Amino acid sequence: MDIILCILVAVCVIVILQLAFKWKKKRMMSKLMARHMKTGLFTLNEYEEYARRRLAKHKFDYFTDGAGNQSTQKENKTVFDRYRLRQRVLSDFKEPDLSTTLLGQTVTMPIGISPVLRKEWACSQGDLCSARAAGTHGICDIVPIFSESSMEEISDANPNGLKWLQVYICKDKEKLKSLVKRSEASGYKALVITVDCHWKRFVHSDWKNMVFKYLMRTKQGNFDGDTFIKAYSQNVAERASWNDIKEIVQMTTLPIVLKGILTADDARLAVKCGAKAIIVSNHGGRMMESLPPALEALPEIVEAVGDEVEVYMDSGVRSGTDTIKALALGAKACFIGRPILYGLVYKGEEGVNQVISLLKEDLERVMQCTGSGCVGDINPSILKRRQGNDNRK
C-alpha cells in the first residue's frame, strides 16, 4: 500500500511539474509575442506586404515598380547575396557602437532616409511623420524638394536632427538659388543634387495605372502649391552638365552631395567640380533598366575617390546585413527609401520608428557576429565572395 501511495505521489509531482513548466513556457512566449506586437512586424518584407494589401494599386505600384523590365531594381536586392559574412567569435564586447559622422555631423547609426516622394500617399502628413521619426532616432534625413510639406514645415518637425535638402538642377538658376537660401535659413546642413534624372524614364505600371492624373492633383509645399507635374516641368532642367554643378557649388556654403553616381569616371568629375560626398545610386531602379546594382558599382567608386570625398549608397538596402556589406565595401553610410513608405502605410510615424528600429537591431546583431565593435571596425575582411550562382534561391 505504501509503495502504491508513493507511486501516486510521484506521478502527481511529475504532472504538476510538467504543467508548471508548460505554463511558464507559455507565459514566456506570450511576453515575447506581446513585445513584438508592440514594436510592429518582424521583417521589412512584412511591411511591404502590408502596404500591398492596404494601398490602392496605383499607389503601391508607383512606390515599388522599377523602370523597363525592372532588372535594375531586382538586382539591387539580389546583389547582396553575392557576399557572405565571416563570423568572428569571442570578441569581448557587449554592444557595438553604431554611431558615425556624415560630413562632420554625428549620427547614431550609418543608416539614413533617402529623398522619397509621395509620402502623403502612404499616410496623412507623411513628410512630417518621417521627419519626426528621423529626429527620434538621430539619423540623417534627406528631404526631397518635391515634398508635399514645405522644407520649413519639415524642419520644424525635426528641429534638432540632421537634415539635408535634395534638389534638381533647375532651368532657372535664380529659382534654385532662392530654394538654397531657404534651406540654409531652415537649418539644412547639406545640399543633395540628384544627377540621374535628365532622361525620360519609362515605368510600365505608371502608364497602365494612368498615375499622371493623380500626380496632377498632388500639391507641392515648396512651389506655392503647384501640382507635381507643373512644378517639375517648369523647374527641372531637361539637360545639364558638370558646369551646372560648379555653379551650384558657388551658390552656397553648404557642402554639395551628388546622388546618382555609378562610375569611377563620374566620381572623379564630381570631386573635380567641388562635391564633398557622393551617393552611389541607380535611383532604386526607377530610371533605367540594365544598370549595375549600386552595391556592384560601389567598390569602383570608392577606389577612384579615395579619401577625397565621403561615399554613401542607396538602392536595395533592406536589412542591417545589407548595410554592413555596403560598409565593408567602402560606403560610409546607407540610405533607405521604400521601407520608409511601407512603415508610413503601416502606422505613420510609429511605423517608421519600427522600420528604423528593425534595421538598427539587425545591424547590431551582424556587427556582433562579425566582431565589429564600432563602425570603424567594418572592413572587407568580414566578407567572403560567394562562389557559383549569385541568384537568390
Side-chain angles (χ1 to χ4, degrees):
M1 190 68 179
D2 290 340
I3 295 175
I4 294 174
L5 184 60
C6 288
I7 292 173
L8 288 173
V9 171
V11 169
C12 289
V13 170
I14 291 171
V15 170
I16 291 171
L17 289 174
Q18 287 179 335
L19 290 173
F21 177 76
K22 288 180 179 180
W23 175 81
K24 186 175 181 180
K25 183 177 179 181
K26 185 176 180 180
R27 186 181 179 193
M28 289 175 63
M29 289 301 297
S30 296
K31 285 184 177 180
L32 179 64
M33 291 300 295
R35 181 174 67 84
H36 281 288
M37 290 302 292
K38 288 178 184 176
T39 57
L41 305 176
F42 286 88
T43 69
L44 294 191
N45 287 337
E46 290 182 13
Y47 284 92
E48 180 177 355
E49 184 56 34
Y50 180 91
R52 184 191 303 276
R53 297 195 309 267
R54 183 84 175 184
L55 287 173
K57 189 176 187 303
H58 73 273
K59 292 182 179 179
F60 184 78
D61 288 350
Y62 183 82
F63 287 162
T64 59
D65 285 0
N69 63 12
Q70 303 198 60
S71 59
T72 304
Q73 185 213 32
K74 292 172 183 175
E75 284 196 72
N76 276 339
K77 297 180 183 179
T78 59
V79 67
F80 287 94
D81 284 340
R82 298 179 190 176
Y83 297 92
R84 296 183 187 276
L85 299 174
R86 296 184 68 243
Q87 174 181 286
R88 299 298 304 275
V89 299
L90 304 177
S91 299
D92 194 26
F93 64 86
K94 184 178 180 181
E95 294 181 358
D97 178 8
L98 274 61
S99 66
T100 188
T101 59
L102 305 181
L103 295 175
Q105 302 287 319
T106 300
V107 290
T108 60
M109 66 183 105
I111 298 173
I113 298 179
S114 293
V116 288
L117 301 181
R118 308 284 83 79
K119 292 191 183 87
E120 298 290 326
W121 284 10
C123 80
S124 176
Q125 296 189 331
D127 291 312
L128 306 183
C129 291
S130 175
R132 286 192 290 265
T136 297
H137 287 271
I139 64 175
C140 181
D141 183 19
I142 305 180
V143 176
I145 194 63
F146 288 116
S147 54
E148 283 83 355
S149 299
S150 70
M151 67 176 84
E152 291 85 1
E153 291 172 323
I154 295 172
S155 180
D156 289 342
N158 180 17
N160 300 315
L162 179 60
K163 303 173 290 293
W164 297 349
L165 183 70
Q166 175 268 338
V167 298
Y168 298 90
I169 297 172
C170 290
K171 297 174 181 178
D172 182 355
K173 292 298 190 295
E174 290 303 315
K175 177 63 175 179
L176 178 58
K177 187 179 293 186
S178 70
L179 293 170
V180 171
K181 296 305 178 186
R182 285 172 58 187
S183 72
E184 292 173 344
S186 300
Y188 290 82
K189 299 301 183 182
L191 205 62
V192 180
I193 306 174
T194 296
V195 295
D196 60 347
C197 62
H198 300 286
W199 57 84
K200 292 182 179 180
R201 72 188 187 96
F202 184 79
V203 179
H204 295 284
S205 60
D206 284 356
W207 293 93
K208 290 178 180 178
N209 296 329
M210 291 302 293
V211 74
F212 310 103
K213 66 182 181 182
Y214 301 102
L215 294 176
M216 291 178 69
R217 305 171 192 166
T218 306
K219 304 294 184 181
Q220 301 303 298
N222 293 313
F223 294 90
D224 302 320
D226 287 346
T227 66
F228 173 74
I229 296 293
K230 181 180 179 181
Y232 191 95
S233 61
Q234 290 186 350
N235 289 280
V236 178
E238 295 176 357
R239 295 174 11 180
S241 73
W242 290 101
N243 287 330
D244 293 300
I245 302 301
K246 293 177 182 178
E247 287 184 34
I248 297 172
V249 169
Q250 297 302 315
M251 281 183 191
T252 178
T253 58
L254 295 178
I256 300 298
V257 182
L258 297 191
K259 179 180 180 291
I261 302 295
L262 286 175
T263 64
D265 293 334
D266 282 345
R268 283 188 282 264
L269 285 170
V271 174
K272 188 175 180 181
C273 289
K276 298 301 181 185
I278 288 170
I279 301 179
V280 180
S281 169
N282 55 37
H283 219 106
R286 292 179 59 82
M287 293 304 296
M288 183 65 68
E289 75 263 34
S290 295
L291 292 178
L295 189 75
E296 181 181 290
L298 178 63
E300 168 188 339
I301 292 169
V302 170
E303 182 179 1
V305 301
D307 295 330
E308 294 186 81
V309 298
E310 295 185 357
V311 178
Y312 318 124
M313 199 201 88
D314 80 357
S315 302
V317 177
R318 293 294 182 273
S319 66
T321 305
D322 292 346
T323 302
I324 202 171
K325 290 177 181 180
L327 267 57
L329 293 175
K332 191 167 177 61
C334 291
F335 290 86
I336 57 170
R338 290 181 175 99
I340 297 301
L341 296 170
Y342 306 148
L344 287 170
V345 175
Y346 181 69
K347 202 175 285 186
E349 179 183 342
E350 176 56 28
V352 178
N353 281 325
Q354 293 168 8
V355 165
I356 297 171
S357 293
L358 272 180
L359 291 166
K360 178 183 178 182
E361 291 166 6
D362 191 30
L363 181 57
E364 286 176 335
R365 284 193 297 270
V366 181
M367 288 179 67
Q368 288 172 327
C369 173
T370 57
S372 304
C374 65
V375 172
D377 291 341
I378 301 171
N379 62 72
S381 70
I382 71 168
L383 298 183
K384 181 177 177 61
R385 180 81 184 204
R386 182 173 179 165
Q387 302 299 315
N389 189 354
D390 291 334
N391 293 328
R392 189 171 289 177
K393 297 293 187 181

